[in-house]
Amino acid sequence: MRRNRFHHGLLGLAGQKEDSPDTVYYICCKKGRLAVCAGPNQSGDQFVRKCRQEHEQQHITDMKCNEDDYCKGKPDGPVRVDASEKAKLECAGYQAQLKCLENTFKSPDVRQDKKHVLGQIKKYCPPTPQ
């Protein structure tokens, strides 16, 4: 039996519970399929929320490449990722989120979120050779 291995809150694969007050979106199993589920924190800038959802959608895309039936036979709810997969998934998720932020309305919240995302990319993505 495989362990649930993927959970995503506001700040990435940080091990937050899906009911944490700052969770915006997380990855879950829903009716046997991977899905982006909404957390309790749906306040704030609509553009920031949209880009955070893009981040989560990237995780689903990446996970489906590896296992099309990840949620088959599993109960609805959040899933977790092994630590060994975290950096790769987060790197791709934050890159998708950055692309979204760069192509949206530049509100103060968007600029602040972009700064956070750039820091996370530095943390999770391997440096590019020069």
Side-chain angles (χ1 to χ4, degrees):
M1 184 168 132
R2 290 188 310 207
R3 297 180 294 147
N4 277 349
R5 62 185 181 93
F6 192 88
H7 172 261
H8 196 292
L10 171 68
L11 300 176
L13 300 167
Q16 296 173 336
K17 294 181 180 177
E18 75 278 2
D19 60 355
S20 172
D22 61 351
T23 300
V24 179
Y25 298 106
Y26 62 98
I27 300 302
C28 64
C29 289
K30 195 174 198 176
K31 297 181 181 179
R33 301 180 83 87
L34 283 169
V36 176
C37 290
N41 183 5
Q42 293 300 308
S43 62
D45 188 293
Q46 66 179 335
F47 301 108
V48 170
R49 287 193 323 268
K50 176 187 173 289
C51 293
R52 288 178 180 169
Q53 191 170 24
E54 293 272 336
H55 178 125
E56 302 301 335
Q57 190 59 52
Q58 183 64 48
H59 290 324
I60 289 176
T61 300
D62 293 340
M63 290 179 75
K64 282 185 176 179
C65 286
N66 296 330
E67 298 180 42
D68 290 337
D69 64 345
Y70 178 80
C71 289
K72 187 176 181 179
K74 292 186 180 179
D76 288 357
V79 291
R80 299 190 184 277
V81 67
D82 292 330
S84 63
E85 297 177 70
K86 179 178 178 175
K88 181 180 173 187
L89 288 168
E90 286 294 15
C91 178
Y94 281 115
Q95 287 175 335
Q97 187 175 350
L98 179 62
K99 183 177 180 181
C100 177
L101 290 167
E102 288 176 339
N103 292 312
T104 194
F105 179 73
K106 305 297 188 253
S107 71
D109 287 342
V110 166
R111 286 191 291 276
Q112 181 179 352
D113 204 54
K114 184 177 175 183
K115 183 188 262 187
H116 169 75
V117 167
L118 288 169
Q120 295 302 304
I121 287 172
K122 190 178 273 188
K123 177 179 177 180
Y124 288 113
C125 299
T128 54
Q130 297 197 19

